[in-house]
Amino acid sequence: MTVLPRRRNACERARMRKTLYLLSAASLCGCVAAAPPPPATSGNPIGNPLVDPIPISLALEEIITAGVRQHLKNPIAAKFGTMLAGERKLNGRHEIVACGYVDDKGSTGGNEPFIGNIYPDAGNSFELVAINDVSVIGACKAAGLAMPELKPNS
């Protein structure tokens, strides 16, 4: 008589394993079907996708200003103006693009546009892409961050 309960338990366990296997397979299929579409590209010559604009937190502002100050002739006197930021995934790497203006009294005495990248997956490392270059405003616009035009003497 002890054989029947064991057999019944074995059958129930086998059914449970099959049920769990089928549920696992079905949930995996659901994950594949719900995968997000690949990011759209902006159509600019280098094929970078547009950024999703994000607000600049105090921590992000500190990363940006500290990173830009390292490249200025007079970092202590530098005053930062408008800054915009956006995040994107480029070549599988998460990055935040930051565009803005800095007034470095020690160099040209005016507002200089800059563009830089922050890499959150690499300890929030900052890379200054360009500063005070004619391509900065265009690069920011191509990324989806339209910097306001500065008026002369501002």
Side-chain angles (χ1 to χ4, degrees):
M1 284 206 197
T2 58
V3 175
L4 287 177
R6 283 187 184 170
R7 179 183 274 175
R8 187 174 20 168
N9 286 341
C11 289
E12 286 176 14
R13 280 189 297 232
R15 264 188 267 144
M16 287 299 284
R17 274 194 301 263
K18 287 179 185 178
T19 303
L20 287 174
Y21 175 75
L22 290 173
L23 287 173
S24 297
S27 67
L28 287 175
C29 290
C31 290
V32 171
T41 57
S42 65
N44 61 26
I46 52 179
N48 291 342
L50 294 172
V51 297
D52 292 323
I54 59 171
I56 297 179
S57 66
L58 289 175
L60 184 57
E61 182 179 349
E62 181 62 31
I63 292 167
I64 296 166
T65 57
V68 172
R69 284 181 196 275
Q70 293 177 15
H71 300 276
L72 300 176
K73 292 179 183 172
N74 191 359
I76 295 172
K79 298 204 183 317
F80 288 83
T82 302
M83 286 193 280
L84 300 173
E87 59 185 346
R88 66 182 173 190
K89 206 157 202 148
L90 186 62
N91 297 326
R93 189 172 188 191
H94 179 220
E95 70 180 15
I96 297 172
V97 178
C99 294
Y101 292 103
V102 61
D103 185 0
D104 182 11
K105 304 271 188 221
S107 61
T108 62
N111 282 310
E112 303 172 3
F114 67 86
I115 182 171
N117 294 330
I118 299 131
Y119 299 100
D121 299 337
N124 286 326
S125 62
F126 180 86
E127 172 190 23
L128 184 66
V129 175
I131 188 167
N132 201 21
D133 188 88
V134 295
S135 66
V136 172
I137 300 296
C140 289
K141 285 181 182 176
L145 298 172
M147 293 295 296
E149 294 293 327
L150 289 178
K151 298 175 184 125
N153 300 331
S154 61

